[in-house]
Amino acid sequence: MNNESPRIIVRRSGPLSGNVQVPGAKNSVLKLMAATLLAEGEFVLTNVPAIADVDTMSDLLVALGVKTKWLGPHELSLVNSGNISTEAPFENVDKIRASINVLGPLLTHYGQALINWPGGDDFGGRPIDLHISGLEKMGATIEQNLLNINAYAQELHGAEIELSFASVGATENILTAAIYAKGTTVIDNAAREPEIGDLCNMLVAMGAQIEGIGTSHLVIHGSKKGSLRGVRHAVINDRVQAATYIAAVAIAGGDVQVRGARPEHMEMVINKYTQMGVSIYPQRDGLRVTAPERLAAIDFATLPYPGIATDYKPLLVAMNSVASGVGIVTENLFPGRFRYIEELCKLGADIRIDGHHAVIKGVDHLIGTAVTAPDIRAGAALVVAGLAAHGETVIGEIHHIDRGYDDLVGRLSGLGADITRV
């Protein structure tokens, strides 16, 4: 019996050519799925990525009482009949960070939510104190212990909430909780990620009243409980997956059409790619990407949107590792998110960590060896790095990659990359 877990094997590849379709966004679809707890009826989500986290969120919603069914490869039906449990089982919650997004909808619609501490990628502490303080300002009583969070409120009320940090999760939970809160809720310093705009647009289609979509000042006028309805909604495309395919072309060379990439959602990272020498041309249905002879090193720092997202950082670090010159990277959001550096160094990268900075001295080429994917985005970056490594790069623990990437191996292979999954 073979107990060996799946691996991805990459060999030096390039130039890449052809076109690749960007799937729906992981960081949007999971929140849209959680929002189906706000209204009875059928929701149909299209452009749903085929990733493990969608299956996990689906399992969680089924455990809570929502019926889910695939209507096609990327089309998911979710039916909320109103017979909903307010207790989220540990085995579902523990697998993904986005499980915390059921808190706001359950609390505002059903008056109670019992949820274990969420799981997900491990790259440092990601507290939910801003979620809790915001909900408490709206009248919720929240009890916490080492195992779970127990929230309840007979009726939430509107409040003015200023976030000390533009937290995506806190913005989403306060936003969904405000849908049935009595009166008006204002969220200042709200996170502005495109995925939050996607959530707001679906909520408005459901019947919610939201002003300031796409800005840091969200105003939500509470609706009558039960007045929202099920809708059909297309998930926006995944800007991090788009950035991954651009990075693959940048590091391997070539000329590729990245179809479905939304440049308006990626301005800052496109600017950084361009500084490194990558040519990126807007097209009618995405971006055309061509690579330079060799990348140029850059400095950058992670910041909340519209700054460089921490999800882009492993890709830019991998690119810097084979660029000409020295680049300095500053991590301002998650202190533990340098854990993959050791894996890149196994491939021959010259990287030194100093606190929340990494100093990267570009090398001529990387050398293939066995490495381990510590989280979703770092795993993808190791795959991309393998495209520039002499010999064979074998990536283990690829279940992390499966959580956020829809057929990464197949899509890269379609561009001519020498990559297989075993």
Side-chain angles (χ1 to χ4, degrees), residues 319-341:
M319 290 166 66
N320 258 345
S321 70
V322 292
S324 173
V326 177
I328 299 173
V329 178
T330 303
E331 174 57 70
N332 290 313
L333 303 177
F334 297 114
R337 208 161 188 184
F338 276 133
R339 293 176 186 169
Y340 59 91
I341 296 291

Side-chain angles (χ1 to χ4, degrees), residues 30-294:
L30 304 177
K31 322 306 175 63
L32 300 173
M33 291 172 71
T36 64
L37 292 166
L38 284 166
E40 294 179 23
E42 182 180 21
F43 296 80
V44 177
L45 297 178
T46 62
N47 197 36
V48 176
I51 57 175
D53 273 15
V54 166
D55 295 331
T56 302
M57 180 60 87
S58 183
D59 290 344
L60 170 56
L61 291 173
V62 167
L64 291 173
V66 176
K67 291 186 172 68
T68 68
K69 179 184 178 184
W70 288 99
L71 303 177
H74 300 284
E75 191 167 319
L76 182 64
S77 164
L78 302 101
V79 177
N80 179 347
S81 63
N83 186 21
I84 297 295
S85 167
T86 57
E87 294 188 19
F90 169 79
E91 60 271 19
N92 302 119
V93 172
D94 186 52
K95 293 178 182 176
I96 53 170
R97 175 73 179 175
S99 58
I100 193 65
N101 280 77
V102 305
L103 178 59
L106 286 176
L107 183 60
T108 196
H109 195 187
Y110 302 99
Q112 187 174 348
L114 179 64
I115 180 168
N116 287 88
W117 292 96
D121 282 334
D122 178 19
F123 41 75
R126 293 190 284 177
I128 61 165
D129 53 327
L130 294 180
H131 305 233
I132 289 169
S133 63
L135 295 172
E136 285 178 337
K137 284 180 183 174
M138 298 169 69
T141 299
I142 300 179
E143 299 166 352
Q144 305 171 63
N145 56 43
L146 292 175
L147 292 177
N148 52 41
I149 306 149
N150 187 16
Y152 48 94
Q154 194 161 3
E155 183 179 51
L156 295 175
H157 56 73
E160 293 201 8
I161 299 165
E162 182 168 359
L163 297 176
S164 57
F165 171 77
S167 160
V168 172
T171 299
E172 290 164 341
N173 255 331
I174 295 165
L175 166 67
T176 51
I179 296 301
Y180 291 136
K182 189 174 183 180
T184 298
T185 300
V186 176
I187 310 174
D188 269 317
N189 197 30
R192 292 188 280 157
E193 274 73 358
E195 295 79 16
I196 290 177
D198 200 24
L199 174 61
C200 286
N201 289 332
M202 187 175 97
L203 291 171
V204 168
M206 290 164 62
Q209 301 174 69
I210 305 171
E211 299 167 18
I213 296 172
T215 76
S216 59
H217 182 79
L218 288 175
V219 180
I220 306 101
H221 303 289
S223 299
K224 183 182 176 184
K225 198 171 287 192
S227 63
L228 271 63
R229 59 191 173 275
V231 293
R232 183 181 181 89
H233 181 84
V235 181
I236 61 168
N237 288 342
D238 195 314
R239 58 197 170 102
V240 185
Q241 289 202 55
T244 303
Y245 296 113
I246 298 172
V249 180
I251 216 164
D255 185 338
V256 168
Q257 302 270 353
V258 184
R259 291 168 39 214
R262 299 275 294 272
E264 69 273 21
H265 293 166
M266 305 170 64
E267 287 181 9
M268 195 69 76
V269 75
I270 287 174
N271 182 37
K272 291 298 179 185
Y273 282 157
T274 303
Q275 288 177 28
M276 297 185 82
V278 184
S279 297
I280 300 175
Y281 312 96
Q283 307 275 290
R284 184 178 56 82
D285 65 342
L287 297 169
R288 180 186 172 195
V289 181
T290 61
E293 188 79 19
R294 189 177 182 190

Side-chain angles (χ1 to χ4, degrees), residues 352-410:
R352 180 170 52 84
I353 299 172
D354 181 9
H356 62 121
H357 306 285
V359 181
I360 308 158
K361 185 179 179 182
V363 297
D364 285 337
H365 62 267
L366 300 172
I367 300 166
T369 190
V371 291
T372 301
D375 63 60
I376 298 170
R377 308 307 177 184
L382 290 170
V383 171
V384 168
L387 298 173
H390 288 183
E392 194 170 82
T393 302
V394 181
I395 299 115
E397 299 292 329
I398 63 171
H399 60 90
H400 290 295
I401 297 172
D402 293 340
R403 287 187 48 218
Y405 281 86
D406 183 332
D407 192 21
L408 179 63
V409 169

